[in-house]
Amino acid sequence: MFLFLSKVLDLLLSPLTWALLLGVGGIVLRRWKRLSVASQLAAVGVLYAFSIEPTVALLTRVTEQDAVSTYRPDTVYDAVILLGGGLDAAATERSGQPEYNAAPERMMRTFELLHDGRARQVLITAGNLDARPEAVVEANVLAAQLEHWGIAPERIVKEGRSRNTRENALESEPLVRAHGWKSLLLVTSAAHLPRAAGCFAAVGLKADTLAVDFRSSTLPPAKMSWQPRSGALAQSTDMLRELAGRLVYRLRGWTAPWR
């Protein structure tokens, strides 16, 4: 039920959805000309506001500001925990080979840590919302990719049942205990890190953190583009969803202080 409600919440948190609802409202209210025009202008305004760089830069900065990396370069970690989210499962299923989305940094940084001897093992926690038996399981694909890049299979532990960040933590906890790992490093996107680290802390796993995939801009607003772009709209939507996700997780008691 929570997964279904989370998808509904995702839909409602999209500025595109807001614009569509306002646009439909303008049609419904066509008898009242002023209200109809106001609703349609508001639809255009919402689309424009969330599709320009200054807005997305502000939202991204707010979302990423608590992403603190506590990674210690002089430490060899028992395990690095790699969270899913970098794989395009549908495209991977169609092509038969790994197809990544716009955020492959989690995978790349994890490989570097293993390759450079900064972590002894990796725990890949990544499932799939698709319940079909033949659906691609992200953990399996990422593990195969690491093996192809030269990481020994015995250094890779997979968890492919989790479907969200809370389940990543819940499913990882018994595996961490079973392997006796003490020093852990959690690798994930900067925007996602506070919620992810809070979830792992809530199940008793205190891990150092390494934030990757930073998206915030350091340009002053005057040098940013005020031209609307679909990519900016998508990023604004992602940041709104992450901020709402933190609030929901906090209210449900699924996160704990992690610093």
Side-chain angles (χ1 to χ4, degrees), residues 153-232:
E154 59 268 22
R155 298 179 67 191
I156 302 171
V157 178
K158 298 178 291 184
E159 181 287 298
R161 298 174 56 186
S162 56
R163 299 165 296 175
N164 57 33
T165 307
R166 170 170 165 77
E167 291 184 1
N168 286 151
L170 288 173
E171 297 291 344
S172 295
E173 191 273 339
L175 291 173
V176 170
R177 305 299 181 200
H179 285 81
W181 294 328
K182 301 300 181 184
S183 56
L184 303 170
L185 178 64
L186 181 66
V187 178
T188 191
S189 301
H192 183 233
L193 189 144
R195 181 161 59 99
C199 285
F200 276 80
V203 298
L205 297 180
K206 290 283 188 175
D208 280 348
T209 55
L210 180 58
V212 299
D213 183 30
F214 281 90
R215 299 296 177 187
S216 54
S217 173
T218 57
L219 290 175
K223 294 187 177 181
M224 293 182 184
S225 172
W226 292 75
Q227 179 180 346
R229 299 184 183 277
S230 59

Side-chain angles (χ1 to χ4, degrees), residues 15-16 18-24 26 37-49:
L16 180 59
W18 305 343
L20 289 173
L21 291 175
L22 287 167
V24 171
V37 171
S39 184
Q40 292 181 56
L41 288 175
V44 174
V46 166
L47 274 181
Y48 178 76

Side-chain angles (χ1 to χ4, degrees), residues 80-160:
V80 54
I81 301 175
L82 170 61
L83 300 185
L87 188 77
D88 187 329
T92 297
E93 185 173 334
R94 287 194 300 271
S95 70
Q97 59 186 6
E99 304 288 353
Y100 297 98
N101 58 30
E105 291 87 350
R106 304 180 190 185
M107 179 67 166
M108 295 167 61
R109 192 68 181 104
T110 296
F111 167 72
E112 291 173 359
L113 291 164
L114 293 167
H115 179 267
D116 296 344
R118 305 319 322 159
R120 297 182 179 89
Q121 291 185 278
V122 58
L123 169 57
I124 306 173
T125 171
N128 194 331
L129 289 172
D130 192 337
R132 293 177 302 131
E134 69 273 18
V136 170
V137 177
E138 185 171 359
N140 294 338
V141 177
L142 299 185
Q145 181 74 80
L146 288 175
E147 289 184 32
H148 179 71
W149 287 345
I151 304 302
E154 59 268 22
R155 298 179 67 191
I156 302 171
V157 178
K158 298 178 291 184
E159 181 287 298

